[in-house]
Amino acid sequence: YSSEDMKVLDKKSFKLPGVREFHWSPAQNVFAAFVPAQDAGQSPARVVLVEVPSRKELRQKNLFSVAETQMYWHPDGTYLAVKVDRQKTKKTTTYSFELFRLKERDIPIEVLEIPTQVINFAWEPKGHRFALVHGDPPRVDISFYTMLKEGKAVVSLLKTLEKKPVNEVFWSPAGHHVVLAGMKSLNGILNFFNADDMETMNEDEHFMCTDLCWDPTGRYVCTYVSAFRQPMENGYVIWNFAGKAQHRVNKDKFFQFIWRPRPPSLLSAKQEREIRKALPDYSAKYQEEDRKAKELAESAATREKEAKRALFDEGEARRKQLYLEWQAERREIRGCLTDDEDNYELVEETFEEVLELKEEKI
């Protein structure tokens, strides 16, 4: 349909007989559709990419012995991953991914074979990596792959974390960091992982956690136990990206947590890359500015203390002057000079009193 008049586009539908599912690209006027095998297997199953409104078929891939498929678009439409489960025998199923590169000429496709059952898949936003959760639950493997190896368009494995209690993967909206989570039945085990250094920053737990959401900046992440799914332990925890808890709230009948959305960046992707590249220089500049501001604040505080001390000394001098000026008046009123401490004798007396007496027989 056209959104301008809500009428069928060009007054005709797209002809894809038997189509089971389709998914729009998040960034382009392109959709991917899966058409199962037909005519008792004479016509193989296929994944097809179609451009709108031209209806041009950009790419097609035939698939055989397909039991199930699932599509995953990259957030900026650069890649499309199609998970394909193939039923070889009654007891044997194989797993693979068809990886489409939409920004390259003729949309090349690579096949990635996975030896074990695939549980979850997630693209890195603003990047070229993806994470796979695969294996036999509850302890599974998490593999990180990249679509670019040393600048070349080659799918390659970066690292595999073995035997982890994980069933969900949550990438930061800014990329670089990811939370590997054991949600729901795995009781909220959290692994805060740095995908640049391929190392765990922190491991923690939010017991019975049901949901997780990153803030739009990628600086903070919230985990919560929703009363929609779990009647007990309701509440939320806010963490920083490195996995340090910042704020905890326990609240009965707590249902949902949503971050305030942020407007789109005014910078282009190229400008963001340049800023990220020059970040060490910016950091040094701002650290120097912070140092100068700190010194200025410290000197201002010192000047304020000195001014208060001078004001106190001035008042003290004034009080001593008045004390001497009123000495004659005191002598007249008291009939003697009372300012000399040598004229007095200091006597100290100690009084003791029994407040309570308690006897114990042993």
Side-chain angles (χ1 to χ4, degrees), residues 24-125:
W24 280 101
S25 164
Q28 307 166 64
N29 290 330
V30 175
F31 68 82
F34 171 67
V35 180
Q38 298 177 355
D39 301 327
Q42 296 299 317
S43 298
R46 61 194 180 106
V47 173
V48 57
L49 298 177
V50 180
E51 186 180 57
V52 179
S54 68
R55 300 172 185 264
K56 179 182 178 182
E57 189 173 295
L58 301 177
R59 194 71 162 89
Q60 175 180 298
K61 178 65 181 289
N62 291 335
L63 305 171
F64 299 90
S65 305
V66 177
E68 185 181 351
T69 63
Q70 196 164 356
M71 300 182 190
Y72 304 90
W73 278 101
H74 189 281
D76 64 12
T78 305
Y79 308 109
L80 170 67
V82 181
K83 182 175 77 73
V84 182
D85 299 352
R86 291 182 171 88
Q87 195 74 41
K88 294 297 185 181
T89 66
K90 290 184 178 180
K91 295 184 178 180
T92 305
T93 303
T94 62
Y95 308 92
S96 65
F97 280 87
E98 307 287 334
L99 300 168
F100 296 73
R101 299 177 182 271
L102 276 87
K103 296 298 178 67
E104 297 187 22
R105 185 178 179 181
D106 298 329
I107 310 182
I109 303 172
E110 293 178 70
V111 180
L112 177 64
E113 300 286 346
I114 307 298
T116 56
Q117 174 189 2
V118 177
I119 298 171
N120 212 314
F121 177 98
W123 288 106
E124 176 190 22

Side-chain angles (χ1 to χ4, degrees), residues 108-150:
I109 303 172
E110 293 178 70
V111 180
L112 177 64
E113 300 286 346
I114 307 298
T116 56
Q117 174 189 2
V118 177
I119 298 171
N120 212 314
F121 177 98
W123 288 106
E124 176 190 22
K126 300 182 179 180
H128 303 277
R129 294 174 290 199
F130 60 88
L132 278 178
V133 180
H134 57 98
D136 297 322
R139 291 194 169 269
V140 296
D141 297 341
I142 303 95
S143 296
F144 291 88
Y145 290 84
T146 181
M147 297 291 286
L148 293 177
K149 183 179 181 181
E150 298 177 355

Side-chain angles (χ1 to χ4, degrees), residues 292-308:
K292 291 180 179 179
K294 184 178 180 181
E295 289 181 354
L296 183 63
E298 290 177 349
S299 61
T302 301
R303 289 195 299 271
E304 183 181 0
K305 290 180 181 178
E306 291 175 350
K308 289 181 178 179

Side-chain angles (χ1 to χ4, degrees), residues 94-314:
T94 62
Y95 308 92
S96 65
F97 280 87
E98 307 287 334
L99 300 168
F100 296 73
R101 299 177 182 271
L102 276 87
K103 296 298 178 67
E104 297 187 22
R105 185 178 179 181
D106 298 329
I107 310 182
I109 303 172
E110 293 178 70
V111 180
L112 177 64
E113 300 286 346
I114 307 298
T116 56
Q117 174 189 2
V118 177
I119 298 171
N120 212 314
F121 177 98
W123 288 106
E124 176 190 22
K126 300 182 179 180
H128 303 277
R129 294 174 290 199
F130 60 88
L132 278 178
V133 180
H134 57 98
D136 297 322
R139 291 194 169 269
V140 296
D141 297 341
I142 303 95
S143 296
F144 291 88
Y145 290 84
T146 181
M147 297 291 286
L148 293 177
K149 183 179 181 181
E150 298 177 355
K152 297 180 180 179
V154 178
V155 178
S156 58
L157 176 65
L158 297 174
K159 186 171 183 176
T160 296
L161 307 178
E162 298 181 347
K163 305 300 180 184
K164 297 291 184 179
V166 171
N167 54 17
E168 297 278 356
V169 176
F170 298 93
W171 282 98
S172 162
H176 309 290
H177 302 104
V178 59
V179 178
L180 309 174
M183 308 290 280
K184 302 178 179 75
S185 62
L186 295 180
N187 292 331
I189 297 173
L190 306 173
N191 184 334
F192 295 84
F193 193 78
N194 184 332
D196 292 338
D197 300 329
M198 286 294 155
E199 64 180 15
T200 296
M201 296 180 288
N202 189 35
E203 290 185 336
D204 213 314
E205 179 184 23
H206 184 177
F207 184 61
M208 301 181 79
C209 175
T210 60
D211 298 88
L212 184 149
C213 54
W214 282 90
D215 92 299
T217 68
R219 297 172 60 197
Y220 300 99
V221 60
C222 175
T223 58
Y224 63 94
V225 181
S226 172
F228 283 129
R229 300 179 177 88
Q230 174 58 248
M232 301 172 61
E233 304 292 336
N234 302 138
Y236 64 91
V237 181
I238 296 178
W239 317 75
N240 67 7
F241 71 93
K244 182 178 180 181
Q246 306 293 303
H247 187 57
R248 295 178 183 269
V249 174
N250 296 321
K251 190 175 184 65
D252 291 338
K253 297 183 179 180
F254 178 83
F255 290 95
Q256 190 175 23
F257 185 103
I258 301 177
W259 290 99
R260 176 188 177 187
R262 293 172 63 90
S265 174
L266 298 177
L267 302 176
S268 66
K270 182 179 179 181
Q271 290 174 317
E272 289 185 0
R273 287 195 298 270
E274 291 175 351
I275 291 174
R276 193 175 293 114
K277 186 177 180 180
L279 194 58
D281 297 333
Y282 286 117
S283 297
K285 173 186 174 182
Y286 294 132
Q287 286 175 358
E288 178 63 19
E289 292 182 1
D290 289 344
R291 185 188 65 79
K292 291 180 179 179
K294 184 178 180 181
E295 289 181 354
L296 183 63
E298 290 177 349
S299 61
T302 301
R303 289 195 299 271
E304 183 181 0
K305 290 180 181 178
E306 291 175 350
K308 289 181 178 179
R309 180 68 184 180
L311 184 62
F312 175 82
D313 291 342
E314 181 181 348

